[in-house]
Amino acid sequence: MNSYEEKMNMLQSGDIDKLEISKADFLSFREVLVKREDFKHFSGIAKQGGEIIYTYLRVARS
């Protein structure tokens, strides 16, 4: 399992409350994210400079 999957699993389980992804890492992170069955439970907010902060929603977004 790669580190992105581990971090997403930690976010899902509540071990961490947010996951920060840099602009440089976004594309490789996204490749892993979109393959997950619970993809729609992840919510990302882009910050100035390109950093994205992901949280896990208990109810999937539409």
Side-chain angles (χ1 to χ4, degrees):
M1 185 178 304
N2 72 34
S3 66
Y4 291 139
E5 289 177 16
E6 290 173 20
K7 290 177 183 177
M8 285 186 268
N9 288 338
M10 290 174 66
L11 188 59
Q12 177 190 27
S13 68
D15 292 339
I16 58 175
D17 61 340
K18 65 182 177 180
L19 179 57
E20 299 178 19
I21 302 297
S22 70
K23 181 179 180 179
D25 294 333
F26 174 72
L27 290 178
S28 55
F29 173 79
R30 187 179 183 282
E31 283 182 34
V32 176
L33 176 63
V34 298
K35 292 177 183 175
R36 291 180 61 106
E37 284 187 30
D38 61 347
F39 166 71
K40 288 195 171 195
H41 287 267
F42 289 87
S43 174
I45 303 293
K47 299 294 181 184
Q48 189 170 1
E51 181 181 62
I52 303 105
I53 310 257
Y54 283 94
T55 56
Y56 191 83
L57 307 172
R58 297 296 165 209
V59 177
R61 58 187 164 78
S62 55

CSV table of all heavy atoms in Angstrom, one decimal:
chain,number,residue,atom,x,y,z
A,1,MET,N,0.9,-1.2,0.0
A,1,MET,CA,0.0,0.0,0.0
A,1,MET,C,0.9,1.2,0.0
A,1,MET,O,1.8,1.3,0.8
A,1,MET,CB,-0.9,0.0,1.3
A,1,MET,CG,-1.9,1.1,1.3
A,1,MET,SD,-3.0,1.0,2.7
A,1,MET,CE,-3.7,-0.6,2.6
A,2,ASN,N,0.6,2.2,-0.8
A,2,ASN,CA,1.4,3.4,-0.9
A,2,ASN,C,1.0,4.4,0.2
A,2,ASN,O,0.0,4.2,0.9
A,2,ASN,CB,1.4,4.0,-2.3
A,2,ASN,CG,0.1,4.7,-2.6
A,2,ASN,OD1,-0.6,5.3,-1.8
A,2,ASN,ND2,-0.3,4.7,-3.9
A,3,SER,N,1.8,5.4,0.4
A,3,SER,CA,1.6,6.3,1.5
A,3,SER,C,0.3,7.1,1.3
A,3,SER,O,-0.4,7.5,2.3
A,3,SER,CB,2.7,7.3,1.6
A,3,SER,OG,2.9,8.1,0.5
A,4,TYR,N,-0.1,7.4,0.1
A,4,TYR,CA,-1.4,8.1,-0.1
A,4,TYR,C,-2.6,7.3,0.3
A,4,TYR,O,-3.5,7.8,1.0
A,4,TYR,CB,-1.6,8.5,-1.6
A,4,TYR,CG,-0.7,9.5,-2.2
A,4,TYR,CD1,-0.2,9.4,-3.4
A,4,TYR,CD2,-0.4,10.7,-1.4
A,4,TYR,CE1,0.7,10.4,-4.0
A,4,TYR,CE2,0.5,11.6,-1.9
A,4,TYR,CZ,1.0,11.5,-3.2
A,4,TYR,OH,1.8,12.4,-3.7
A,5,GLU,N,-2.6,6.0,0.0
A,5,GLU,CA,-3.6,5.1,0.5
A,5,GLU,C,-3.7,5.0,2.0
A,5,GLU,O,-4.7,5.0,2.6
A,5,GLU,CB,-3.5,3.7,-0.1
A,5,GLU,CG,-3.7,3.6,-1.6
A,5,GLU,CD,-3.5,2.2,-2.2
A,5,GLU,OE1,-3.4,1.3,-1.4
A,5,GLU,OE2,-3.4,2.1,-3.4
A,6,GLU,N,-2.5,4.9,2.6
A,6,GLU,CA,-2.4,4.9,4.1
A,6,GLU,C,-3.0,6.1,4.7
A,6,GLU,O,-3.8,6.1,5.6
A,6,GLU,CB,-1.0,4.7,4.5
A,6,GLU,CG,-0.4,3.3,4.2
A,6,GLU,CD,1.1,3.2,4.5
A,6,GLU,OE1,1.6,4.1,5.3
A,6,GLU,OE2,1.7,2.3,3.9
A,7,LYS,N,-2.6,7.3,4.1
A,7,LYS,CA,-3.1,8.6,4.6
A,7,LYS,C,-4.6,8.7,4.4
A,7,LYS,O,-5.3,9.2,5.3
A,7,LYS,CB,-2.4,9.7,4.0
A,7,LYS,CG,-0.9,9.8,4.4
A,7,LYS,CD,-0.2,10.9,3.7
A,7,LYS,CE,1.2,11.0,4.2
A,7,LYS,NZ,2.0,12.0,3.4
A,8,MET,N,-5.1,8.2,3.3
A,8,MET,CA,-6.6,8.3,3.1
A,8,MET,C,-7.3,7.4,4.0
A,8,MET,O,-8.4,7.7,4.5
A,8,MET,CB,-6.9,8.0,1.6
A,8,MET,CG,-6.6,9.1,0.7
A,8,MET,SD,-7.1,8.8,-1.0
A,8,MET,CE,-5.6,8.1,-1.7
A,9,ASN,N,-6.8,6.2,4.3
A,9,ASN,CA,-7.4,5.3,5.2
A,9,ASN,C,-7.4,5.9,6.6
A,9,ASN,O,-8.3,5.7,7.4
A,9,ASN,CB,-6.6,3.9,5.2
A,9,ASN,CG,-6.9,3.1,4.0
A,9,ASN,OD1,-7.9,3.3,3.3
A,9,ASN,ND2,-6.0,2.2,3.7
A,10,MET,N,-6.3,6.6,7.0
A,10,MET,CA,-6.3,7.3,8.3
A,10,MET,C,-7.3,8.4,8.4
A,10,MET,O,-7.9,8.5,9.4
A,10,MET,CB,-4.9,7.8,8.5
A,10,MET,CG,-3.8,6.8,8.8
A,10,MET,SD,-2.1,7.5,8.9
A,10,MET,CE,-2.3,8.4,10.4
A,11,LEU,N,-7.5,9.1,7.3
A,11,LEU,CA,-8.5,10.1,7.3
A,11,LEU,C,-9.9,9.5,7.4
A,11,LEU,O,-10.7,10.0,8.1
A,11,LEU,CB,-8.4,10.9,6.0
A,11,LEU,CG,-9.2,12.2,5.8
A,11,LEU,CD1,-8.9,13.2,6.9
A,11,LEU,CD2,-9.0,12.8,4.4
A,12,GLN,N,-10.1,8.4,6.7
A,12,GLN,CA,-11.4,7.7,6.7
A,12,GLN,C,-11.7,7.2,8.1
A,12,GLN,O,-12.9,7.4,8.6
A,12,GLN,CB,-11.4,6.6,5.7
A,12,GLN,CG,-12.7,5.8,5.7
A,12,GLN,CD,-12.6,4.5,4.9
A,12,GLN,OE1,-11.5,4.0,4.8
A,12,GLN,NE2,-13.7,4.0,4.5
A,13,SER,N,-10.7,6.7,8.8
A,13,SER,CA,-11.0,6.1,10.1
A,13,SER,C,-11.0,7.1,11.2
A,13,SER,O,-11.4,6.8,12.3
A,13,SER,CB,-9.9,5.1,10.4
A,13,SER,OG,-8.6,5.7,10.6
A,14,GLY,N,-10.6,8.3,10.9
A,14,GLY,CA,-10.7,9.4,11.9
A,14,GLY,C,-9.4,9.5,12.7
A,14,GLY,O,-9.3,10.3,13.6
A,15,ASP,N,-8.4,8.8,12.3
A,15,ASP,CA,-7.1,8.9,13.0
A,15,ASP,C,-6.5,10.3,12.8
A,15,ASP,O,-5.7,10.8,13.6
A,15,ASP,CB,-6.1,7.9,12.5
A,15,ASP,CG,-6.5,6.5,12.9
A,15,ASP,OD1,-7.2,6.3,13.9
A,15,ASP,OD2,-6.0,5.5,12.3
A,16,ILE,N,-6.7,10.9,11.6
A,16,ILE,CA,-6.4,12.3,11.3
A,16,ILE,C,-7.6,13.0,10.9
A,16,ILE,O,-8.6,12.4,10.4
A,16,ILE,CB,-5.2,12.4,10.3
A,16,ILE,CG1,-5.6,11.7,8.9
A,16,ILE,CG2,-3.9,11.8,10.8
A,16,ILE,CD1,-4.6,11.9,7.8
A,17,ASP,N,-7.7,14.3,11.0
A,17,ASP,CA,-8.9,15.1,10.7
A,17,ASP,C,-8.8,15.8,9.3
A,17,ASP,O,-9.8,16.2,8.8
A,17,ASP,CB,-9.3,16.0,11.8
A,17,ASP,CG,-8.2,17.1,12.1
A,17,ASP,OD1,-7.1,16.9,11.7
A,17,ASP,OD2,-8.6,18.1,12.6
A,18,LYS,N,-7.6,15.9,8.8
A,18,LYS,CA,-7.4,16.5,7.5
A,18,LYS,C,-6.1,16.0,6.8
A,18,LYS,O,-5.2,15.4,7.5
A,18,LYS,CB,-7.3,18.0,7.6
A,18,LYS,CG,-6.1,18.5,8.3
A,18,LYS,CD,-6.1,20.1,8.4
A,18,LYS,CE,-5.0,20.5,9.3
A,18,LYS,NZ,-4.9,22.0,9.4
A,19,LEU,N,-6.1,16.1,5.5
A,19,LEU,CA,-4.9,15.7,4.8
A,19,LEU,C,-4.5,16.8,3.8
A,19,LEU,O,-5.3,17.3,3.0
A,19,LEU,CB,-5.3,14.4,4.0
A,19,LEU,CG,-4.3,13.8,3.1
A,19,LEU,CD1,-3.1,13.4,3.8
A,19,LEU,CD2,-4.9,12.5,2.4
A,20,GLU,N,-3.3,17.2,4.0
A,20,GLU,CA,-2.8,18.4,3.2
A,20,GLU,C,-2.0,17.8,2.0
A,20,GLU,O,-1.0,17.1,2.2
A,20,GLU,CB,-2.0,19.3,4.0
A,20,GLU,CG,-2.8,19.9,5.2
A,20,GLU,CD,-2.0,20.8,6.1
A,20,GLU,OE1,-0.9,21.3,5.7
A,20,GLU,OE2,-2.5,21.1,7.2
A,21,ILE,N,-2.3,18.2,0.8
A,21,ILE,CA,-1.6,17.8,-0.4
A,21,ILE,C,-1.1,19.0,-1.1
A,21,ILE,O,-1.8,20.0,-1.4
A,21,ILE,CB,-2.6,17.0,-1.4
A,21,ILE,CG1,-3.2,15.8,-0.7
A,21,ILE,CG2,-1.9,16.6,-2.7
A,21,ILE,CD1,-2.2,14.7,-0.2
A,22,SER,N,0.2,19.0,-1.5
A,22,SER,CA,0.8,20.1,-2.2
A,22,SER,C,0.4,20.1,-3.6
A,22,SER,O,0.0,19.1,-4.2
A,22,SER,CB,2.3,20.1,-2.0
A,22,SER,OG,2.8,19.0,-2.8
A,23,LYS,N,0.6,21.3,-4.2
A,23,LYS,CA,0.3,21.4,-5.7
A,23,LYS,C,1.1,20.4,-6.5
A,23,LYS,O,0.6,19.8,-7.4
A,23,LYS,CB,0.5,22.9,-6.1
A,23,LYS,CG,0.3,23.2,-7.5
A,23,LYS,CD,0.6,24.6,-7.8
A,23,LYS,CE,0.3,25.0,-9.3
A,23,LYS,NZ,0.6,26.4,-9.6
A,24,ALA,N,2.3,20.2,-6.1
A,24,ALA,CA,3.2,19.3,-6.9
A,24,ALA,C,2.8,17.9,-6.8
A,24,ALA,O,3.0,17.1,-7.7
A,24,ALA,CB,4.7,19.5,-6.3
A,25,ASP,N,2.2,17.5,-5.7
A,25,ASP,CA,1.7,16.1,-5.4
A,25,ASP,C,0.3,15.8,-5.9
A,25,ASP,O,-0.1,14.7,-5.9
A,25,ASP,CB,1.9,15.8,-4.0
A,25,ASP,CG,3.3,15.8,-3.5
A,25,ASP,OD1,4.2,15.5,-4.3
A,25,ASP,OD2,3.5,16.0,-2.3
A,26,PHE,N,-0.4,16.9,-6.3
A,26,PHE,CA,-1.8,16.7,-6.5
A,26,PHE,C,-2.2,15.6,-7.6
A,26,PHE,O,-3.0,14.8,-7.4
A,26,PHE,CB,-2.5,18.0,-6.9
A,26,PHE,CG,-3.9,17.8,-7.4
A,26,PHE,CD1,-4.9,17.6,-6.4
A,26,PHE,CD2,-4.3,17.9,-8.7
A,26,PHE,CE1,-6.2,17.4,-6.8
A,26,PHE,CE2,-5.6,17.7,-9.1
A,26,PHE,CZ,-6.6,17.5,-8.1
A,27,LEU,N,-1.5,15.6,-8.7
A,27,LEU,CA,-1.9,14.7,-9.8
A,27,LEU,C,-1.6,13.3,-9.4
A,27,LEU,O,-2.5,12.4,-9.7
A,27,LEU,CB,-1.1,15.0,-11.1
A,27,LEU,CG,-1.6,16.3,-11.8
A,27,LEU,CD1,-0.8,16.6,-13.0
A,27,LEU,CD2,-3.1,16.3,-12.1
A,28,SER,N,-0.5,13.0,-8.7
A,28,SER,CA,-0.3,11.6,-8.3
A,28,SER,C,-1.2,11.2,-7.2
A,28,SER,O,-1.7,10.0,-7.2
A,28,SER,CB,1.2,11.4,-7.9
A,28,SER,OG,1.6,12.3,-6.9
A,29,PHE,N,-1.6,12.1,-6.3
A,29,PHE,CA,-2.6,11.8,-5.3
A,29,PHE,C,-3.9,11.5,-5.9
A,29,PHE,O,-4.6,10.6,-5.5
A,29,PHE,CB,-2.7,13.0,-4.3
A,29,PHE,CG,-3.8,12.9,-3.3
A,29,PHE,CD1,-3.6,12.1,-2.2
A,29,PHE,CD2,-5.0,13.5,-3.5
A,29,PHE,CE1,-4.7,12.0,-1.3
A,29,PHE,CE2,-6.0,13.4,-2.6
A,29,PHE,CZ,-5.9,12.6,-1.5
A,30,ARG,N,-4.3,12.4,-6.9
A,30,ARG,CA,-5.6,12.2,-7.5
A,30,ARG,C,-5.8,10.9,-8.2
A,30,ARG,O,-6.9,10.3,-8.2
A,30,ARG,CB,-5.9,13.3,-8.5
A,30,ARG,CG,-7.3,13.3,-9.0
A,30,ARG,CD,-7.5,14.5,-10.0
A,30,ARG,NE,-8.9,14.5,-10.5
A,30,ARG,CZ,-9.4,13.7,-11.4
A,30,ARG,NH1,-8.6,12.8,-12.0
A,30,ARG,NH2,-10.6,13.8,-11.8
A,31,GLU,N,-4.7,10.4,-8.8
A,31,GLU,CA,-4.8,9.0,-9.4
A,31,GLU,C,-5.2,8.0,-8.5
A,31,GLU,O,-6.0,7.1,-8.8
A,31,GLU,CB,-3.4,8.7,-10.0
A,31,GLU,CG,-3.1,9.4,-11.3
A,31,GLU,CD,-1.7,8.9,-11.9
A,31,GLU,OE1,-1.4,7.7,-11.7
A,31,GLU,OE2,-1.0,9.8,-12.4
A,32,VAL,N,-4.7,8.0,-7.2
A,32,VAL,CA,-5.1,7.1,-6.2
A,32,VAL,C,-6.5,7.3,-5.7
A,32,VAL,O,-7.3,6.4,-5.5
A,32,VAL,CB,-4.0,7.1,-5.0
A,32,VAL,CG1,-4.4,6.2,-3.9
A,32,VAL,CG2,-2.6,6.8,-5.6
A,33,LEU,N,-6.8,8.6,-5.5
A,33,LEU,CA,-8.1,9.0,-4.9
A,33,LEU,C,-9.3,8.5,-5.8
A,33,LEU,O,-10.2,7.9,-5.3
A,33,LEU,CB,-8.1,10.5,-4.7
A,33,LEU,CG,-9.5,11.1,-4.3
A,33,LEU,CD1,-9.8,10.5,-2.9
A,33,LEU,CD2,-9.4,12.6,-4.3
A,34,VAL,N,-9.2,8.7,-7.1
A,34,VAL,CA,-10.4,8.4,-8.0
A,34,VAL,C,-10.6,6.9,-8.1
A,34,VAL,O,-11.7,6.5,-8.6
A,34,VAL,CB,-10.3,9.1,-9.3
A,34,VAL,CG1,-10.2,10.6,-9.2
A,34,VAL,CG2,-9.1,8.6,-10.1
A,35,LYS,N,-9.7,6.1,-7.7
A,35,LYS,CA,-9.8,4.7,-7.8
A,35,LYS,C,-10.5,4.1,-6.6
A,35,LYS,O,-10.9,2.9,-6.6
A,35,LYS,CB,-8.5,4.0,-8.0
A,35,LYS,CG,-7.8,4.3,-9.3
A,35,LYS,CD,-6.5,3.6,-9.4
A,35,LYS,CE,-5.8,4.0,-10.8
A,35,LYS,NZ,-4.4,3.5,-10.8
A,36,ARG,N,-10.7,4.9,-5.6
A,36,ARG,CA,-11.3,4.4,-4.3
A,36,ARG,C,-12.9,4.4,-4.5
A,36,ARG,O,-13.5,5.2,-5.1
A,36,ARG,CB,-11.0,5.3,-3.2
A,36,ARG,CG,-9.5,5.2,-2.8
A,36,ARG,CD,-9.2,6.1,-1.6
A,36,ARG,NE,-10.0,5.8,-0.4
A,36,ARG,CZ,-9.5,5.2,0.7
A,36,ARG,NH1,-8.2,4.9,0.7
A,36,ARG,NH2,-10.3,5.0,1.7
A,37,GLU,N,-13.5,3.4,-3.9
A,37,GLU,CA,-14.9,3.3,-3.9
A,37,GLU,C,-15.6,4.4,-3.1
A,37,GLU,O,-16.7,4.8,-3.5
A,37,GLU,CB,-15.4,1.9,-3.3
A,37,GLU,CG,-15.2,0.7,-4.2
A,37,GLU,CD,-15.8,-0.5,-3.6
A,37,GLU,OE1,-16.8,-0.4,-2.9
A,37,GLU,OE2,-15.3,-1.6,-3.9
A,38,ASP,N,-14.9,4.9,-2.1
A,38,ASP,CA,-15.5,6.0,-1.3
A,38,ASP,C,-15.0,7.4,-1.8
A,38,ASP,O,-15.0,8.3,-1.0
A,38,ASP,CB,-15.2,5.8,0.2
A,38,ASP,CG,-13.7,5.8,0.5
A,38,ASP,OD1,-12.9,5.7,-0.5
A,38,ASP,OD2,-13.3,5.8,1.7
A,39,PHE,N,-14.6,7.5,-3.0
A,39,PHE,CA,-14.1,8.7,-3.6
A,39,PHE,C,-15.0,9.9,-3.3
A,39,PHE,O,-14.5,11.0,-2.9
A,39,PHE,CB,-14.1,8.5,-5.1
A,39,PHE,CG,-13.9,9.8,-5.9
A,39,PHE,CD1,-12.7,10.5,-5.9
A,39,PHE,CD2,-14.9,10.3,-6.7
A,39,PHE,CE1,-12.5,11.6,-6.6
A,39,PHE,CE2,-14.7,11.5,-7.5
A,39,PHE,CZ,-13.5,12.1,-7.4
A,40,LYS,N,-16.3,9.8,-3.3
A,40,LYS,CA,-17.2,10.9,-3.1
A,40,LYS,C,-17.3,11.3,-1.6
A,40,LYS,O,-18.0,12.3,-1.3
A,40,LYS,CB,-18.6,10.6,-3.6
A,40,LYS,CG,-18.6,10.7,-5.2
A,40,LYS,CD,-19.9,10.8,-5.7
A,40,LYS,CE,-19.9,11.0,-7.2
A,40,LYS,NZ,-21.1,11.4,-7.7
A,41,HIS,N,-16.6,10.6,-0.7
A,41,HIS,CA,-16.6,11.0,0.7
A,41,HIS,C,-15.5,12.0,1.0
A,41,HIS,O,-15.5,12.6,2.0
A,41,HIS,CB,-16.5,9.8,1.6
A,41,HIS,CG,-17.7,8.9,1.6
A,41,HIS,ND1,-18.6,9.1,2.6
A,41,HIS,CD2,-18.1,7.9,0.8
A,41,HIS,CE1,-19.6,8.2,2.4
A,41,HIS,NE2,-19.3,7.5,1.4
A,42,PHE,N,-14.6,12.1,0.0
A,42,PHE,CA,-13.5,13.1,0.2
A,42,PHE,C,-13.8,14.4,-0.3
A,42,PHE,O,-14.3,14.6,-1.4
A,42,PHE,CB,-12.2,12.5,-0.5
A,42,PHE,CG,-11.6,11.3,0.2
A,42,PHE,CD1,-12.1,10.1,-0.1
A,42,PHE,CD2,-10.6,11.5,1.1
A,42,PHE,CE1,-11.5,8.9,0.5
A,42,PHE,CE2,-10.1,10.4,1.8
A,42,PHE,CZ,-10.5,9.1,1.4
A,43,SER,N,-13.6,15.4,0.5
A,43,SER,CA,-13.9,16.8,0.1
A,43,SER,C,-12.6,17.6,0.2
A,43,SER,O,-11.9,17.6,1.2
A,43,SER,CB,-14.9,17.4,1.0
A,43,SER,OG,-15.1,18.8,0.7
A,44,GLY,N,-12.2,18.3,-1.0
A,44,GLY,CA,-11.0,19.0,-1.0
A,44,GLY,C,-11.2,20.5,-1.2
A,44,GLY,O,-12.1,20.9,-2.0
A,45,ILE,N,-10.5,21.3,-0.4
A,45,ILE,CA,-10.6,22.8,-0.5
A,45,ILE,C,-9.2,23.3,-0.9
A,45,ILE,O,-8.2,23.0,-0.2
A,45,ILE,CB,-11.0,23.4,0.8
A,45,ILE,CG1,-12.3,22.8,1.3
A,45,ILE,CG2,-11.0,24.9,0.7
A,45,ILE,CD1,-13.5,23.2,0.5
A,46,ALA,N,-9.1,24.0,-2.0
A,46,ALA,CA,-7.9,24.5,-2.5
A,46,ALA,C,-7.6,25.8,-1.8
A,46,ALA,O,-8.4,26.7,-1.6
A,46,ALA,CB,-7.9,24.8,-4.0
A,47,LYS,N,-6.3,26.0,-1.4
A,47,LYS,CA,-5.9,27.2,-0.7
A,47,LYS,C,-5.0,28.0,-1.7
A,47,LYS,O,-4.5,27.5,-2.7
A,47,LYS,CB,-5.0,26.8,0.5
A,47,LYS,CG,-5.8,26.0,1.6
A,47,LYS,CD,-6.9,26.9,2.2
A,47,LYS,CE,-7.7,26.1,3.2
A,47,LYS,NZ,-8.8,26.9,3.7
A,48,GLN,N,-4.8,29.2,-1.3
A,48,GLN,CA,-3.9,30.0,-2.1
A,48,GLN,C,-2.5,29.4,-2.2
A,48,GLN,O,-2.0,28.9,-1.2
A,48,GLN,CB,-3.8,31.4,-1.5
A,48,GLN,CG,-3.1,32.4,-2.4
A,48,GLN,CD,-3.2,33.8,-1.8
A,48,GLN,OE1,-3.8,34.1,-0.8
A,48,GLN,NE2,-2.7,34.8,-2.6
A,49,GLY,N,-2.0,29.3,-3.4
A,49,GLY,CA,-0.7,28.7,-3.6
A,49,GLY,C,-0.8,27.3,-4.1
A,49,GLY,O,0.2,26.7,-4.4
A,50,GLY,N,-2.0,26.8,-4.1
A,50,GLY,CA,-2.2,25.4,-4.7
A,50,GLY,C,-2.3,24.3,-3.8
A,50,GLY,O,-2.6,23.2,-4.2
A,51,GLU,N,-2.1,24.5,-2.5
A,51,GLU,CA,-2.3,23.4,-1.5
A,51,GLU,C,-3.7,23.0,-1.4
A,51,GLU,O,-4.6,23.9,-1.4
A,51,GLU,CB,-1.7,23.8,-0.2
A,51,GLU,CG,-1.8,22.7,0.9
A,51,GLU,CD,-1.3,23.2,2.2
A,51,GLU,OE1,-1.9,24.1,2.8
A,51,GLU,OE2,-0.3,22.6,2.7
A,52,ILE,N,-4.0,21.8,-1.3
A,52,ILE,CA,-5.4,21.3,-1.1
A,52,ILE,C,-5.5,20.6,0.2
A,52,ILE,O,-4.7,19.8,0.6
A,52,ILE,CB,-5.8,20.3,-2.2
A,52,ILE,CG1,-5.6,21.0,-3.6
A,52,ILE,CG2,-7.3,19.9,-2.1
A,52,ILE,CD1,-4.5,20.5,-4.3
A,53,ILE,N,-6.6,20.9,1.0
A,53,ILE,CA,-6.8,20.3,2.3
A,53,ILE,C,-8.1,19.4,2.1
A,53,ILE,O,-9.1,19.9,1.7
A,53,ILE,CB,-7.2,21.4,3.3
A,53,ILE,CG1,-6.1,22.4,3.3
A,53,ILE,CG2,-7.4,20.7,4.7
A,53,ILE,CD1,-5.1,22.4,4.4
A,54,TYR,N,-7.9,18.1,2.3
A,54,TYR,CA,-8.9,17.1,2.2
A,54,TYR,C,-9.5,16.7,3.6
A,54,TYR,O,-8.7,16.6,4.5
A,54,TYR,CB,-8.4,15.9,1.5
A,54,TYR,CG,-8.3,16.0,0.0
A,54,TYR,CD1,-7.1,16.4,-0.6
A,54,TYR,CD2,-9.4,15.8,-0.8
A,54,TYR,CE1,-7.0,16.6,-1.9
A,54,TYR,CE2,-9.3,16.0,-2.2
A,54,TYR,CZ,-8.1,16.3,-2.7
A,54,TYR,OH,-8.0,16.5,-4.1
A,55,THR,N,-10.8,16.6,3.6
A,55,THR,CA,-11.5,16.0,4.8
A,55,THR,C,-12.3,14.9,4.3
A,55,THR,O,-12.6,14.7,3.1
A,55,THR,CB,-12.3,17.1,5.5
A,55,THR,OG1,-13.3,17.6,4.6
A,55,THR,CG2,-11.5,18.2,6.1
A,56,TYR,N,-12.8,14.1,5.3
A,56,TYR,CA,-13.6,12.9,4.9
A,56,TYR,C,-15.0,13.2,5.4
A,56,TYR,O,-15.2,13.5,6.6
A,56,TYR,CB,-13.0,11.7,5.6
A,56,TYR,CG,-13.7,10.4,5.1
A,56,TYR,CD1,-13.3,9.8,3.9
A,56,TYR,CD2,-14.7,9.8,5.8
A,56,TYR,CE1,-13.8,8.7,3.4
A,56,TYR,CE2,-15.3,8.7,5.3
A,56,TYR,CZ,-14.9,8.1,4.1
A,56,TYR,OH,-15.5,7.0,3.6
A,57,LEU,N,-16.0,13.1,4.5
A,57,LEU,CA,-17.4,13.3,4.9
A,57,LEU,C,-18.0,12.0,5.2
A,57,LEU,O,-17.8,11.0,4.4
A,57,LEU,CB,-18.1,13.9,3.7
A,57,LEU,CG,-17.5,15.2,3.1
A,57,LEU,CD1,-18.2,15.6,1.8
A,57,LEU,CD2,-17.6,16.3,4.1
A,58,ARG,N,-18.8,11.9,6.2
A,58,ARG,CA,-19.5,10.6,6.6
A,58,ARG,C,-20.6,10.3,5.6
A,58,ARG,O,-20.9,9.2,5.3
A,58,ARG,CB,-20.0,10.7,8.0
A,58,ARG,CG,-19.0,10.8,9.1
A,58,ARG,CD,-18.1,9.6,9.1
A,58,ARG,NE,-16.8,9.9,9.8
A,58,ARG,CZ,-15.7,9.3,9.6
A,58,ARG,NH1,-15.6,8.4,8.6
A,58,ARG,NH2,-14.6,9.6,10.3
A,59,VAL,N,-21.2,11.4,5.0
A,59,VAL,CA,-22.2,11.2,4.0
A,59,VAL,C,-21.6,11.7,2.7
A,59,VAL,O,-21.1,12.8,2.6
A,59,VAL,CB,-23.5,12.0,4.3
A,59,VAL,CG1,-24.5,11.9,3.2
A,59,VAL,CG2,-24.0,11.6,5.7
A,60,ALA,N,-21.7,10.8,1.7
A,60,ALA,CA,-21.0,11.2,0.4
A,60,ALA,C,-21.7,12.4,-0.2
A,60,ALA,O,-22.9,12.6,-0.1
A,60,ALA,CB,-21.2,10.0,-0.6
A,61,ARG,N,-20.8,13.2,-0.9
A,61,ARG,CA,-21.3,14.4,-1.6
A,61,ARG,C,-22.0,13.9,-2.9
A,61,ARG,O,-21.8,12.8,-3.4
A,61,ARG,CB,-20.2,15.3,-1.9
A,61,ARG,CG,-19.1,14.7,-2.7
A,61,ARG,CD,-17.9,15.7,-2.9
A,61,ARG,NE,-16.7,15.0,-3.3
A,61,ARG,CZ,-16.5,14.7,-4.6
A,61,ARG,NH1,-17.4,14.9,-5.5
A,61,ARG,NH2,-15.4,14.0,-4.9
A,62,SER,N,-22.9,14.7,-3.4
A,62,SER,CA,-23.6,14.3,-4.6
A,62,SER,C,-22.9,14.7,-5.9
A,62,SER,O,-21.9,15.4,-5.9
A,62,SER,CB,-25.0,15.0,-4.6
A,62,SER,OG,-24.9,16.4,-4.5
